[in-house]
Amino acid sequence: MSDYIVWFDQLTKNDVGIVGGKNASLGEMISHLSKMGVNVPGGFATTTHAYRDFLTSNGLTERIKQLLDPLDVSDINALTTVGKTIRGWLLKASLPTTLIQAVTQAYEGLVAREGDAISFAVRSSATAEDLADASFAGQQETLLNVCGLEQLIAAIKVVFASLYNDRAIAYRVHHHFEHDKVYLSAGIQKMVRSDLGASGVVFTLDTESGFREAIFITAAYGLGETVVQGTVNPDEFYVYKKGLEAGRPAILTRRLGAKAIEMVYDEKGEKGVSTLVRDVETARRQRFCLSDTQVEALARQALIIEQHYGRPMDIEWALDGLDGQLYIVQARPETVESRVGSTIERFKLKQKGKMLTEGRAIGQKIGQGVARLIMSTEQMNVLEPGEVLVTDMTDPDWEPIMKRASAIVTNRGGRTCHAAIVARELGIPAVVGCGDATMRIKDGVGVTVSCAEGDTGLVYEGLLPYEHTMSETGELPEPPVRIMMNVGNPSHAFAFSRMPNQGVGLARLEFIINNIIGIHPKALLEFERLPNNLKDEINRRIAGYADPISFYVNKLVEGIATLAAAFQPHPVIVRTSDFKSNEYANLLGGDRYEPQEENPMIGFRGASRYVADAFRDCFELECRALRTVRDEMGLTNVEIMIPFCRTLGEAEQVTALLASQGLARGNNGLRLIMMCEIPSNALLAEEFLEYFDGFSIGSNDMTQLTLGIDRDSSLVSHLFDERNPAVKKILKMAIDACRQRGKYIGICGQGPSDYPDFAVWLYDQGINSLSLNPDSIVDTWLHLAQLKKS
């Protein structure tokens, strides 16, 4: 159209020098991906030539340089003064007449095409932006719901001035970009009516572990600024890429966010830029703001974008509440986790103290220091290097001091909020969305911030001791046996899958039931007969799901599917629930259904439960979840393991029950494994193997029952040792029987993780696999590989 204006559909990713990174990316998607299903709102961009002429015509170029050249950005007061001065110059300056004319013509063209009711998002797009190694995300301004030509021209000037926000000046210095070599373009894009719908962020990898096969989506009601700024705790979803590509159900996990507020249009506000933030009513908070169909549709667009760019992407999206369509409004390279290498860094607390607060864990590290409560940017100078920043939330104005912090803790925000993004870039732990951090943590006290315990980040009182280890995996030698992993918590799955492994030898279903579901399955099956107070609590916990049974089954599906997807194509052996009666009683509603047993360890557990009339319908829910993961989601690397099967009669009954639930041996490649953890299992190994495809030795229970030792009793626990000759003789019987029958034989107990010599003995007996705790994988792998060489 002119030297000053370019329509998005005339741009490609090669036009960064003309319209900046953000606008070039929008043009690239409209030009190349719209026919493939990527939906991007149209519009136009001012050119960097227009920006340079704006500065030159107002005599600002040299004046700005003279102020910035001597500036020390670590001096917050000086930075604030200089930034404010330069922005003032730009806001008072006049846009070139030719630029105003070009904007006017483009504006009139959009109004003619879209109607008088059109409003705009006016976004900044810098030439040093959306790069693979420095995103510059959030450094400049975005203005939403800009209405009318007069307000549009004013908004463009605000965007131009924002190149000299304090945070943008400091960011350029820290990343070694020269100020006068960075130019700005304003993107003028048709507003998506997400004020009537929802919006959020998509990463085409897991932002915490760098796992590449999952798409991570955050979503909240209203305009997307609340998610990006971290003022709202959004819904979260993980979607499996291979499931999408195969056309199968692909959602791995759903997490309901609080979504307490939303940003919407202010219909009564002053003419021009008009938005407001309001509370979301309780009923909407308790629903996911996207349906499963919408989640998968959004993930498909994100996958197309990633495949086009050939790298992980950070994408902003919006759901239009009027036309019901999902739109992509920004896409940039992901700049942190996609660079993860082969070094495994592990943090582990050596002791725990008083927990002060908890929230979403960002990263997997531990940080500690003096807590410094800072509630506004005016207090930023108070934070000393190495202290823990505790605040309500952060925005890009905080960045000049965030790099001083050893950790960050916020009341508000989700895993794609500003504090989370900056913490990842800085390589420090953050716990976001705590809700009460600034009330529970006192200024000046020592705290330990732990993100090394899964999805939940914890803040403890005191400077607690912890271990920090680094392992360079590189190209590990081939081990003589399969080295598998014991995994309980699905939230660890993506991170653990990046460690050397050949699958999961023990995935504990009871972890999902206890830590994620927390409700006795019988209480969910008999929900309508429960007292009202118990019903109310269950309703609170199952929010977002259709009914109590759907909640239980779907949460099992999500946990199992996450583990299976993380370790695909390696086998994931899922042990069905192995709670004892006292453990089931601790679940919500459990005291209504569980017997009082003197010794639950050898009581109503394992296979005995599954075939009992009192529990069979609960076990059938587990079967439904396993069948969904294998047959509907296509994750056939899931294998099933039955624990504590005492007799051949139980073996016959439980395998028949599995078959009646569509989980027969060999069906869709299904392999059934039995836990070998009772002496009778080894003594009758050949007979038990008639019903199963192999054994996995549970060395803890086998040792306890062989030696007659209560391992929890301090009086005799010193005698507990898997290497006892009697235990070894029992284990050898089981191993020999499996080898003679050509069936699988592995071990998933604690012994090989604790004792390298025991691992060697098992190898010498001909065991097929060792399933180890994650922290012992590399050392045992290398130790056994050395044996193979010798």
Side-chain angles (χ1 to χ4, degrees):
M1 179 179 290
S2 74
D3 290 340
Y4 286 168
I5 292 295
V6 185
W7 291 96
F8 285 146
D9 59 10
Q10 298 171 353
L11 294 168
T12 72
K13 63 184 178 183
N14 299 318
D15 293 319
V16 173
I18 300 172
V19 293
K22 189 179 302 176
N23 289 336
S25 179
L26 289 171
E28 176 75 12
M29 290 188 291
I30 291 174
S31 301
H32 293 92
L33 301 183
S34 57
K35 292 181 180 179
M36 300 173 66
V38 176
N39 200 10
V40 181
F44 63 93
T46 66
T47 64
T48 53
H49 178 64
Y51 180 76
R52 290 195 299 272
D53 280 4
F54 167 61
L55 294 184
T56 302
S57 65
N58 287 281
L60 292 173
T61 305
E62 189 57 34
R63 293 170 68 191
I64 292 171
K65 181 176 175 60
Q66 288 174 359
L67 272 187
L68 289 178
D69 281 353
L71 177 64
D72 177 3
V73 295
S74 63
D75 183 339
I76 302 299
N77 290 331
L79 174 62
T80 301
T81 300
V82 168
K84 184 177 181 180
T85 299
I86 296 174
R87 292 193 298 275
W89 291 343
L90 270 68
L91 290 172
K92 290 177 182 177
S94 300
L95 294 176
T97 303
T98 47
L99 174 58
I100 293 175
Q101 291 172 345
V103 169
T104 301
Q105 185 178 349
Y107 166 81
E108 291 172 348
L110 279 175
V111 170
R113 189 171 73 194
E114 303 289 347
D116 291 338
I118 187 174
S119 64
F120 302 95
V122 183
R123 307 178 192 276
S124 64
S125 179
T127 52
E129 182 179 58
D130 294 354
L131 306 176
D133 55 356
S135 73
F136 282 75
Q139 298 306 311
Q140 289 84 224
E141 294 296 335
T142 292
L143 292 89
L144 303 176
N145 191 25
V146 178
C147 303
L149 178 61
E150 181 181 343
Q151 287 70 39
L152 177 58
I153 291 172
I156 290 171
K157 197 174 349 178
V158 171
V159 165
F160 281 1
S162 71
L163 187 63
Y164 296 98
N165 285 338
D166 301 350
R167 65 214 185 212
I169 294 170
Y171 196 94
R172 287 194 294 273
V173 171
H174 295 149
H175 288 80
H176 310 292
F177 285 88
E178 296 181 45
H179 296 294
D180 58 0
K181 297 294 192 297
V182 179
Y183 306 112
L184 205 66
S185 163
I188 294 86
Q189 191 175 30
K190 176 190 172 184
M191 275 293 293
V192 176
R193 292 302 303 269
S194 58
D195 62 306
L196 303 174
S199 55
V201 179
V202 180
F203 283 91
T204 61
L205 81 175
D206 175 40
T207 55
E208 302 311 307
S209 67
F211 178 70
R212 297 288 187 91
E213 292 302 322
I215 293 170
F216 177 54
I217 297 172
T218 60
Y221 295 118
L223 302 174
E225 293 302 288
T226 58
V227 177
V228 174
Q229 293 173 0
T231 58
V232 68
N233 296 338
D235 296 337
E236 296 178 355
F237 307 89
Y238 279 102
V239 184
Y240 185 43
K241 291 178 182 176
K242 291 180 180 176
L244 277 181
E245 292 172 327
R248 293 180 175 273
I251 299 176
L252 296 177
T253 61
R254 305 165 184 84
R255 183 184 178 112
L256 189 70
K259 305 185 298 297
I261 58 172
E262 62 182 342
M263 180 181 285
V264 298
Y265 286 9
D266 184 1
E267 303 295 350
K268 297 180 181 179
E270 295 181 5
K271 190 176 181 182
V273 182
S274 50
T275 60
L276 61 83
V277 175
R278 67 185 182 191
D279 292 338
V280 175
E281 58 271 27
T282 301
R284 282 204 299 152
R285 293 185 195 184
Q286 295 176 346
R287 299 195 300 265
F288 289 108
C289 60
L290 290 178
S291 68
D292 284 1
T293 300
Q294 290 169 328
V295 169
E296 292 185 346
L298 179 58
R300 276 191 288 272
Q301 289 198 53
L303 187 57
I304 291 168
I305 294 169
E306 179 187 59
Q307 290 171 343
H308 177 76
Y309 281 92
R311 58 168 298 116
M313 298 294 289
D314 169 358
I315 300 164
E316 293 181 27
W317 62 272
L319 170 65
D320 193 307
L322 293 178
D323 65 20
Q325 291 192 54
L326 289 160
Y327 292 89
I328 303 300
V329 295
Q330 286 190 45
R332 63 176 70 91
E334 192 279 335
T335 59
V336 181
E337 286 301 331
S338 58
R339 301 198 298 264
V340 173
S342 59
T343 299
I344 298 173
E345 189 174 16
R346 296 292 306 279
F347 289 77
K348 183 179 181 180
L349 278 177
K350 297 174 75 171
Q351 70 180 61
K352 295 184 180 180
K354 177 184 176 183
M355 192 186 77
L356 300 176
T357 189
E358 64 180 52
R360 300 306 313 275
I362 305 302
Q364 296 156 3
K365 296 182 178 181
I366 294 174
Q368 56 186 202
V370 172
R372 194 61 64 204
L373 270 64
I374 299 179
M375 300 307 294
S376 72
T377 53
E378 284 74 26
Q379 300 174 281
M380 288 196 298
N381 273 330
V382 174
L383 187 73
E384 296 293 333
E387 293 184 336
V388 175
L389 172 60
V390 182
T391 188
D392 182 52
M393 57 170 280
T394 69
D395 61 39
D397 287 332
W398 292 69
E399 290 183 29
I401 62 113
M402 291 174 76
K403 66 181 186 299
R404 298 180 188 175
S406 61
I408 298 170
V409 184
T410 70
N411 290 336
R412 294 188 284 169
R415 283 177 52 185
T416 56
C417 73
H418 175 263
I421 291 170
V422 173
R424 291 189 198 100
E425 193 165 302
L426 295 174
I428 60 174
V431 179
V432 301
C434 298
D436 58 2
T438 55
M439 293 179 284
R440 300 286 300 277
I441 301 173
K442 294 181 180 179
D443 186 74
V445 303
V447 296
T448 297
V449 179
S450 174
C451 294
E453 300 169 65
D455 271 352
T456 302
L458 303 169
V459 182
Y460 297 101
E461 186 175 75
L463 306 180
L464 304 178
Y466 65 89
E467 295 176 352
H468 176 205
T469 58
M470 302 278 286
S471 301
E472 185 65 41
T473 60
E475 291 294 326
L476 288 175
E478 188 69 23
V481 296
R482 180 183 288 271
I483 303 293
M484 304 178 81
M485 192 181 299
N486 298 333
V487 182
N489 187 347
S491 71
H492 288 311
F494 295 155
F496 285 164
S497 73
R498 305 194 75 184
M499 299 175 64
N501 75 86
Q502 294 172 306
V504 175
L506 173 62
R508 301 178 179 92
L509 212 58
E510 58 268 19
F511 184 96
I512 302 169
I513 296 170
N514 189 55
N515 292 63
I516 298 175
I517 295 172
I519 307 169
H520 197 288
K522 203 73 173 180
L524 296 170
L525 284 163
E526 299 184 357
F527 178 77
E528 294 302 330
R529 286 179 265 173
L530 298 177
N532 288 335
N533 63 331
L534 191 52
K535 278 185 176 180
D536 290 343
E537 177 60 20
I538 289 175
N539 275 325
R540 186 186 68 80
R541 296 195 188 192
I542 69 172
Y545 290 82
D547 56 69
I549 302 305
S550 297
F551 168 77
Y552 189 82
V553 173
N554 278 314
K555 283 301 180 188
L556 288 176
V557 168
E558 290 170 22
I560 297 166
T562 297
L563 289 163
F567 289 90
Q568 176 80 281
H570 296 307
V572 173
I573 301 176
V574 176
R575 185 178 70 187
T576 49
S577 60
D578 192 28
F579 275 144
K580 293 81 175 174
S581 55
N582 60 324
E583 294 168 330
Y584 262 118
N586 288 331
L587 298 172
L588 183 65
D591 55 351
R592 301 172 60 87
Y593 304 105
E594 291 301 319
Q596 294 286 333
E597 294 187 281
E598 290 296 324
N599 193 342
M601 183 67 74
I602 52 175
F604 191 41
R605 61 178 288 199
S608 299
R609 272 187 176 268
Y610 308 156
V611 299
D613 291 341
F615 194 81
R616 177 176 176 140
D617 53 355
C618 299
F619 180 66
E620 288 174 351
L621 299 181
E622 297 179 34
C623 293
R624 190 194 305 181
L626 286 161
R627 189 173 65 247
T628 297
V629 173
R630 284 183 46 83
D631 296 348
E632 295 181 27
M633 300 184 74
L635 291 163
T636 54
N637 59 322
V638 167
E639 301 179 348
I640 297 175
M641 181 154 67
I642 301 298
F644 226 77
C645 187
R646 294 176 168 95
T647 68
L648 297 174
E650 283 187 346
E652 182 179 15
Q653 291 178 70
V654 78
T655 52
L657 176 54
L658 287 166
S660 73
Q661 296 297 308
L663 296 170
R665 285 172 62 191
N667 185 23
N668 202 8
L670 175 61
R671 194 165 66 159
L672 293 184
I673 309 296
M674 189 187 83
M675 286 285 288
C676 182
E677 53 191 337
I678 307 170
S680 64
N681 300 152
L683 293 168
L684 296 176
E686 291 189 8
E687 290 84 348
F688 274 107
L689 287 171
E690 292 294 324
Y691 299 98
F692 295 95
D693 297 299
F695 290 160
S696 183
I697 295 167
S699 58
N700 286 347
D701 274 349
M702 184 65 86
T703 301
Q704 181 172 234
L705 295 171
T706 300
L707 299 180
I709 289 174
D710 178 359
R711 67 176 185 261
D712 295 326
S713 169
S714 59
L715 300 176
V716 294
S717 60
H718 63 284
L719 297 172
F720 185 92
D721 191 336
E722 295 94 330
R723 298 167 297 177
N724 181 283
V727 178
K728 283 186 172 180
K729 190 168 186 177
I730 285 281
L731 298 187
K732 181 172 172 50
M733 293 173 66
I735 295 170
D736 288 347
C738 288
R739 287 176 58 81
Q740 289 167 9
R741 298 285 298 272
K743 296 205 172 187
Y744 169 81
I745 178 65
I747 186 168
C748 59
Q750 185 73 20
S753 294
D754 289 344
Y755 306 116
D757 60 316
F758 186 50
V760 173
W761 180 83
L762 290 165
Y763 161 65
D764 289 339
Q765 305 313 304
I767 202 159
N768 297 148
S769 77
L770 304 176
S771 192
L772 307 168
N773 295 334
D775 57 3
S776 63
I777 286 275
V778 174
D779 288 344
T780 306
W781 187 303
L782 291 171
H783 186 61
L784 290 174
Q786 189 62 39
L787 287 176
K788 183 178 180 181
K789 286 183 180 179
S790 60

